[in-house]
Amino acid sequence: MKNIILIGMMGCGKSTIGRMLAERISYQYIDMDTYLENKYHSTIPELFSVSELYFRDKETECCKDMGHTDNKIISTGGGVILREENMLYLKNNGLVFFIDRPVEMIINELNTDHRPLLKDGVFKLYDLEKERRSLYEKYADFIIRNDQLLIDVRDKIISLYGKSEGANHESGR
């Protein structure tokens, strides 16, 4: 079975929803940021301190790794969509769900302590959302609005995933 790939803005709920999905359908959960930190023995801020390009190169290597897995729930970093190759690796064996949460809701809940791109304040999220929205939509197989109960978001993803995998199985994919 394909992976479930969660993309979206930082703070949109990818990690929380990912853990809920994994618990519900018994898939292994992988947080790409944690995977990246463990693989390179550095924190995200430390990798960014070298340069954003350096961090993005390491992120691409992790996407390549994830493209060779299956039966996983993978929550990505918010900028994973900035490189088409990342999304090609992830889509190799995954269905991509864009977790679309209104920026106003994210700002009210986000902890910015370990968010290098928000060092100048959470209102940078408006700029990031404007820059990235079209890419999230471009790469998404499904767009899930996260302005409701998380259990409802989780169940919607499970339903869409099940229907998609069933269709792929019936057509011989």
Side-chain angles (χ1 to χ4, degrees), residues 142-160:
F142 301 99
I143 298 173
I144 307 294
R145 184 88 169 163
N146 181 14
D147 59 0
Q148 55 198 309
L149 294 175
L150 289 177
I151 196 164
D152 293 334
V153 174
R154 179 203 69 187
D155 291 347
K156 178 77 171 175
I157 292 170
I158 290 170
S159 174
L160 291 168

Side-chain angles (χ1 to χ4, degrees), residues 8-21:
M9 292 291 295
M10 63 182 82
C12 72
K14 298 180 299 283
S15 297
T16 302
I17 293 165
R19 285 189 292 274
M20 291 173 68
L21 283 165

Side-chain angles (χ1 to χ4, degrees), residues 6-117:
L6 305 177
I7 64 171
M9 292 291 295
M10 63 182 82
C12 72
K14 298 180 299 283
S15 297
T16 302
I17 293 165
R19 285 189 292 274
M20 291 173 68
L21 283 165
E23 183 177 303
R24 179 73 172 89
I25 64 173
S26 299
Y27 276 20
Q28 180 185 356
Y29 170 70
I30 298 173
D31 180 291
M32 283 274 291
D33 286 345
T34 302
Y35 178 85
L36 191 149
E37 288 180 335
N38 290 336
K39 181 173 180 162
Y40 296 106
H41 308 288
S42 298
T43 66
I44 301 297
E46 288 170 345
L47 294 167
F48 258 90
S49 73
V50 175
S51 72
E52 184 173 352
L53 178 62
Y54 180 77
F55 168 78
R56 296 290 172 207
D57 288 344
K58 300 304 180 198
E59 182 178 57
T60 296
E61 287 301 315
C62 293
C63 290
K64 188 175 182 179
D65 294 348
M66 295 299 110
H68 298 293
T69 66
D70 54 19
N71 299 330
K72 306 283 188 289
I73 311 287
I74 302 167
S75 63
T76 65
V80 73
I81 44 77
L82 297 174
R83 289 189 176 175
E84 183 175 30
E85 65 187 304
N86 292 348
M87 296 312 300
L88 293 175
Y89 288 134
L90 293 170
K91 287 173 88 67
N92 179 54
N93 193 31
L95 286 174
V96 177
F97 293 83
F98 167 28
I99 307 300
D100 185 12
R101 185 160 181 83
V103 173
E104 295 77 20
M105 293 179 86
I106 294 172
I107 286 174
N108 290 332
E109 301 165 356
L110 187 65
N111 177 348
T112 61
D113 291 346
H114 300 288
R115 311 272 185 176
L117 292 176

